[in-house]
Amino acid sequence: MIRGFIFDLDGVLVDTPNLHFAAWRKVARSLGFDLNESQYEELKGLNREASLIQILDWGNTKLSSQEFNDLMVQKNEWYLEMTATMISDDALPGVHEFLKAAKDLKLKIGLGSASQNARKILDQVKMTNYFDVIIDGTQTTKSKPDPQVFELGTKKLNLRPSSIVVFEDSKAGIKAAIDGGFKSVGIGDRKTLNAASMVYKGLYATSPLKVIEQFNFKS
């Protein structure tokens, strides 16, 4: 029986992946090389540290510990500058309606994001009150595809993984959900997220009740 939903933030609830890409691209260019969209797809779901490690590997670049930490701070500052004007209307289509419908069904709702800015973004787009639990990059030590972020959410929601549906837009996030024993819904491209139990272009294309009914049918 489905009793809870856990959502990733970027690309599922808010249209921030393009902003992350722009900020990481500025990082790469500051180091003398570039970052393309297909490379950025591989960064989705990773935390800031893991993302920078991967970017440095692509650029065959080494930094001191201080330079590495300074660059992570700089990336975050660039990203926050881009998100500073976000408002409720910047939520992805259908998100507010989907979350409200989930609350009306008395489902427990959690956030499971690698972003250390997750709560700030939720506040800006007026979503915070939908969530019973918010797990973000300030509380985790392992990056997706490790299921840690979802496991922490499960404990705080006091539910079993098998009773929770995870909504993700990245391959790493879907793998984390599957490895953790959760049900999974991909948000985005079906070819990229083909490991998920079902895939939708966005939350606007489905409803909490439809998702629950489809999982009940599958079982």
Side-chain angles (χ1 to χ4, degrees):
M1 183 176 180
I2 306 299
R3 299 185 61 196
F5 289 167
I6 295 180
F7 299 86
D8 180 37
L9 178 68
D10 299 317
V12 175
L13 302 179
V14 290
D15 189 16
T16 48
N18 60 323
L19 304 183
H20 280 295
F21 174 51
W24 280 125
R25 197 172 195 187
K26 286 185 74 170
V27 167
R29 287 175 171 177
S30 75
L31 296 170
F33 56 95
D34 205 355
L35 183 68
N36 61 48
E37 290 187 19
S38 63
Q39 287 173 316
Y40 177 66
E41 282 295 319
E42 296 184 41
L43 300 182
K44 285 185 176 179
L46 302 184
N47 62 24
R48 199 180 308 161
E49 181 179 1
S51 294
L52 183 51
I53 289 171
Q54 179 61 74
I55 289 169
L56 293 176
D57 183 59
W58 285 328
N60 194 28
T61 301
K62 296 186 183 299
L63 299 177
S64 69
S65 296
Q66 186 62 54
E67 289 171 331
F68 185 94
N69 290 333
D70 288 347
L71 203 49
M72 283 202 297
V73 170
Q74 179 64 76
K75 184 270 175 182
N76 195 49
E77 289 177 353
W78 283 329
Y79 173 70
L80 290 178
E81 287 173 5
M82 297 174 194
T83 61
T85 58
M86 290 183 74
I87 58 174
S88 180
D89 289 347
D90 290 313
L92 285 166
V95 167
H96 283 286
E97 295 82 357
F98 192 97
L99 292 173
K100 183 180 184 303
K103 293 296 280 187
D104 289 345
L105 290 173
K106 309 299 183 186
L107 295 169
K108 292 186 177 181
I109 301 178
L111 185 87
S113 171
S115 174
Q116 295 186 21
N117 303 303
R119 187 176 290 273
K120 181 179 186 298
I121 298 296
L122 289 179
D123 287 344
Q124 286 182 231
V125 295
K126 310 299 183 188
M127 282 187 206
T128 309
N129 290 341
Y130 291 120
F131 290 88
D132 300 296
V133 169
I134 296 173
I135 306 295
D136 60 21
T138 66
Q139 302 165 66
T140 56
T141 58
K142 300 176 182 177
S143 185
K144 300 169 188 174
D146 191 282
Q148 183 191 47
V149 66
F150 301 135
E151 291 170 345
L152 291 174
T154 299
K155 291 177 182 177
K156 292 198 174 184
L157 291 174
N158 196 28
L159 296 175
R160 295 178 179 177
S162 59
S163 70
I164 295 176
V165 180
V166 168
F167 296 80
E168 265 284 354
D169 75 321
S170 70
K171 290 189 291 185
I174 293 298
K175 186 176 189 307
I178 293 170
D179 289 352
F182 299 85
K183 293 175 170 60
S184 60
V185 171
I187 300 297
D189 181 66
R190 188 173 299 277
K191 291 180 181 178
T192 302
L193 305 173
N194 59 1
S197 295
M198 57 190 77
V199 180
Y200 297 100
K201 284 291 187 182
L203 292 178
Y204 67 87
T206 186
S207 70
L209 188 58
K210 183 177 179 181
V211 169
I212 291 169
E213 288 175 343
Q214 285 188 284
F215 276 112
N216 287 341
F217 178 77
K218 285 175 177 287
S219 60

